[in-house]
Amino acid sequence: MADPATEGRRLSRSFGWLTLLGSLLVVAGLVGLVYTGVATLTSMILFGWLLLIGGIVGLLHAIDSRGSDYFWLGVVVAALNIAAGIVVIRHPHGTAEALTMFAALLFLTGGVFRLVGSVVVRGPQFGWTLLQGAFGLLLGLLVLFDWPHSSLYVLGLFFSLALLFDGLGLIAMGVGGRRIVSMVSEQRVTDELPDHPRGDGQKRSKD
């Protein structure tokens, strides 16, 4: 069984690394919010490499399981991922324009459905659903009217916000975790002291 003190230090060190990672993500998110064009290009390149690496791994897995019923399906899916990854890496700006158009259409359709649904159903969350629908519709129209120029900052903005909020979440987990470990360690040390008040109280009650 591991020593409690050693285990506490190990957990505290792990939470410290988690806090450091969160801080790096927050910094990257803030930089991306300032340079949204660079963030958009970076997100597209990362997306392309993820597709490419995922396609290669899928192809190797399909080759390893050749002879099964899903061999050719795995090969086709892997080939499509590899081709899409190459296209995205070679043409990040065109990919950003296409994905921005797709995001604008999603905002539009989602906003319209929320607006219509809130008016027709009129449930207990009527006002909140109506506000969400109006916001989605407005956001979709703004992105669509500024397209293709909006492709230079929309995806980068979303990518940077995702990094920022993920980083803040990791920082909160790391700081909270280290605080809990520190409190547990201090409580354990206090309980092990021979002159702990709880022990004196128990002795007096026995007497």
Side-chain angles (χ1 to χ4, degrees), residues 44-99:
M44 289 298 96
I45 294 175
L46 288 176
F47 180 57
W49 278 107
L50 286 176
L51 287 174
L52 182 61
I53 295 174
I56 294 174
V57 172
L59 182 61
L60 293 176
H61 179 71
I63 293 174
D64 186 60
S65 61
R66 58 185 177 275
S68 62
D69 297 336
Y70 304 101
F71 169 71
W72 288 110
L73 178 62
V75 170
V76 171
V77 172
L80 290 176
N81 285 333
I82 292 174
I86 293 174
V87 171
V88 172
I89 293 172
R90 294 190 61 181
H91 305 283
H93 294 289
T95 305
E97 291 181 0
L99 289 179

Side-chain angles (χ1 to χ4, degrees), residues 119-164:
V119 172
V120 172
V121 177
R122 290 186 177 272
Q125 302 294 329
F126 168 73
W128 179 247
T129 307
L130 188 67
L131 182 62
Q132 284 182 318
F135 179 76
L137 183 62
L138 178 62
L139 185 59
L141 290 174
L142 290 176
V143 173
L144 191 61
F145 287 157
D146 198 31
W147 189 87
H149 182 263
S150 59
S151 63
L152 298 177
Y153 59 86
V154 169
L155 298 179
L157 180 64
F158 291 160
F159 180 65
S160 301
L161 288 175
L163 289 178
L164 179 62

Side-chain angles (χ1 to χ4, degrees), residues 9 12 25 32 53 59 67 89 107 140 168 170 174 181-182 188 191 199 201:
R9 286 193 295 268
S12 181
L25 290 180
I53 295 174
L59 182 61
I89 293 172
F107 288 137
L168 291 175
L170 290 178
V181 171
S182 177
R188 182 182 292 115
D191 291 341

